[in-house]
Amino acid sequence: MKPTFFITTAISYPNGAPHIGHAYEAMATDTIARFMRLDGHDVHFLTGTDEHGIKMLQTARKEGISPRELADRNTALFQEMARLLGLSNDDFIRTTEARHKKASQAIWEAMKANGDIYLDSYAGWYSVRDEAFYQEGETEVRADGVRYGPQGTPVEWVEEESYFFRLSAYQDKLLALYEDNPDFMGPDERRNEVLSFVRSGLKDLSISRTTFDWGIPVPGDERHVMYVWVDALTNYITAVGYPDVSGETFTKYWPAVHIIGKDIVRFHTVYWPAFLMSAGVAVPKRVYAHGFLFNRGEKMSKSVGNVVGPKELVDTYGLDPVRYFFLREVPFGSDGNYSHEAIIARMNADLANDLGNLAQRSLSMIAKNLGGVLPKAGDISDSDREIMAAADALLPVCREAIGRQQIHQALNAIWAVVADANRYFAAEAPWAVRKTDEVRFGTILYVTAEVLRQVGILIQPVMPGSAAKLLDLLGVPVEERGFDRLGPNHRLVAGGTLPPPVGIFPRFVEEKPAD
RNA sequence: GGCAGAGUAGCUCAGGUGGUUAGAGCGACGGACUCAUAACCCGUAGGUCGGCGGUUCGAAUCCGCCCUCUGCUACCA
């Protein structure tokens, strides 16, 4: 039986259209999912939308539609984005689905049965916009007579009955979890922050609301709906069949690796494992937080006018270059910058010039001089051996990198081999050798094609479409593109006729302003 | 205020259990080649490795202080 692997994105809040941050997380998670599949795992890749909560209600009201209509409309946009980005998700969960209501109520009951949920009341200055309570001292009454919170948003006095989760009881258990599982979360900077937060003491958590009803009813007390995080986080186990913990899907896939943004680290590394421990469910395998993306160093905002949608990027540069750019340029876990210039630089230098051109020059040589028949290798020289060994050595390096979500490092390693292959090709100068030594000529082209084969297989997770194109040109059968075909044991078979070469990665040529 | 991380070539960053001429990519400049997507290949970049002081035969790498930036967190009011 194959080893299994369950990976998730955070579910998106669809009170607006998807932006580049959503796309980034989705592309990265998809890449890891694809990598693991190619590496022989039975993968379950989950993404979806978090459709409840007061903000959805407010946005809907503003637009004069029901929250349900808003959710349907905007979730469709997220599903469209998933198609646009070529996501290979196995499931798309919506928190408004029946299965999720069932799972959320079940985890609630389980936490309650464990004595961790109690009824109390919460009073304080509440900011609807921040979704947070503040101490009176944190607020101020301004000249307009309105009281504002520390984020500059209006606050109102709210006193409401609420169910609480006994988070305070989990401090030691959480610390033990972090201690015993150093890989529970990453990157390391986040770990320190979470540790100090938990060490400083945990307060019980308000987990229900009575002031609105767009949510999952609390079982046994339908005046309340579950507050955002119980509802939202539970999606991960809903999708594998919770509460049927002995069901096939659940036993097979849970626990998951969660890929999230750095803004929701606490919910995933503190609240979520506490909920799960309370409910008697295994905690996640790992939580990894990526950074934010900035357009030319500026945070994207509608007022600055630098909001770029995923669709515009894909339309402008093409899907694979966009995926490649973000995953290669931004160390996964750090914040990153993007700009038109940076994207073009990457796609032209790495894709068109380095990889695309290497494929083009070698394959067209085979087409023009050898009638498109893949030559067989003659005597293998040291330089041949060296470059093939470099390609053969990539899988363990990439595996290690992807295992720690360091997608950029895997790409780095692959492109180092591409650069080596270009040096190899230039040093061997097949265009000159052709005139004097047919056998050596064929050998150089064979070796180059073999390196391209391995590169093609390895870049499938990041650029599925382009990789397929490259492997097609090399005559690699579709069923021989898994990672089990990497390395020296499944070299290209000589003698086959290759299709006429076509460009894989076109250069991005700036359109001259027509003035 | 506390804690954590960061400050290295024009740009983006590697590195750093202390030890020959501090690295890569991009950009720029020069050269070579002409198979190829005006691509590829070779060479050049003379950077106080944030600042000051210390330890040491020797520090970018260890210690102390300071400055700047970022994150988390607290508090004053």
Side-chain angles (χ1 to χ4, degrees), chain A residues 473-493:
Chain A
L473 293 180
L474 291 163
V476 177
V478 174
E479 63 278 9
E480 290 183 19
R481 298 178 179 182
F483 290 173
D484 58 335
R485 298 289 154 162
L486 291 168
N489 297 327
H490 301 277
R491 297 284 189 222
L492 268 176
V493 179

Side-chain angles (χ1 to χ4, degrees), chain A residues 456-514:
Chain A
I457 288 174
L458 282 165
I459 62 173
Q460 291 177 98
V462 179
M463 297 182 283
S466 308
K469 225 162 152 185
L470 174 57
L471 293 168
D472 285 347
L473 293 180
L474 291 163
V476 177
V478 174
E479 63 278 9
E480 290 183 19
R481 298 178 179 182
F483 290 173
D484 58 335
R485 298 289 154 162
L486 291 168
N489 297 327
H490 301 277
R491 297 284 189 222
L492 268 176
V493 179
T497 302
L498 305 183
V502 294
I504 304 166
F505 299 109
R507 280 182 70 80
F508 187 96
V509 181
E510 203 74 62
E511 281 179 36
K512 294 270 193 295

